[in-house]
Amino acid sequence: IKTQIAKQIDQKKSEIRTLQNLYRQPKSIPGEIKHKVAKTIQSKKKELKKLYSSPKEMITLKKTQKWAAVQVVKALLGMPIIPGK
C-alpha cells in the first residue's frame, strides 16, 4: 500500500512540475494540448480495435451489474427500459 501511495505522490508531483513549466512558458501550451489530444485519440483507437477483435472480453461482470442496476432503477421510476420507446 505504501508503494502505491508513493507512486501516486510522485505522479502528482510530476503533473505539478509540468503545469508549472507550462505556466512559465505559455507559448508551448497549444503544442501540449495537441500532444494530449493525439494521445487520447490513439488510446481510444486502441480500445476500439480491442473491442472489435474480442467483444466478449469487454463485457465484464462489473459492467453488467452496473447496467442491471440502472435498468432496475429505471423500471422503479417508470422510465422506459428500452431506449427510444
Side-chain angles (χ1 to χ4, degrees):
I1 296 174
K2 290 182 181 179
T3 57
Q4 291 176 349
I5 294 172
K7 286 180 184 179
Q8 289 177 351
I9 290 171
D10 289 337
Q11 183 181 11
K12 294 294 180 183
K13 285 183 180 179
S14 66
E15 288 176 6
I16 290 171
R17 281 189 214 114
T18 56
L19 289 175
Q20 286 174 344
N21 290 336
L22 287 175
Y23 187 73
R24 288 182 194 135
Q25 301 171 350
K27 291 182 180 179
S28 67
I29 292 175
E32 289 290 326
I33 292 173
K34 286 180 186 179
H35 180 68
K36 286 185 180 183
V37 169
K39 212 177 212 183
T40 55
I41 288 172
Q42 287 178 351
S43 66
K44 294 298 179 183
K45 282 183 180 180
K46 286 180 183 178
E47 288 177 13
L48 284 173
K49 285 181 183 178
K50 185 177 178 181
L51 177 65
Y52 280 122
S53 65
S54 57
K56 289 183 180 180
E57 291 180 9
M58 293 302 290
I59 300 173
T60 60
L61 182 61
K62 185 177 179 181
K63 285 184 179 181
T64 54
Q65 286 176 345
K66 187 175 179 181
W67 178 82
V70 168
Q71 299 307 317
V72 168
V73 169
K74 285 170 70 175
L76 291 174
L77 294 175
M79 300 171 89
I81 295 175
I82 301 172
K85 287 193 174 185

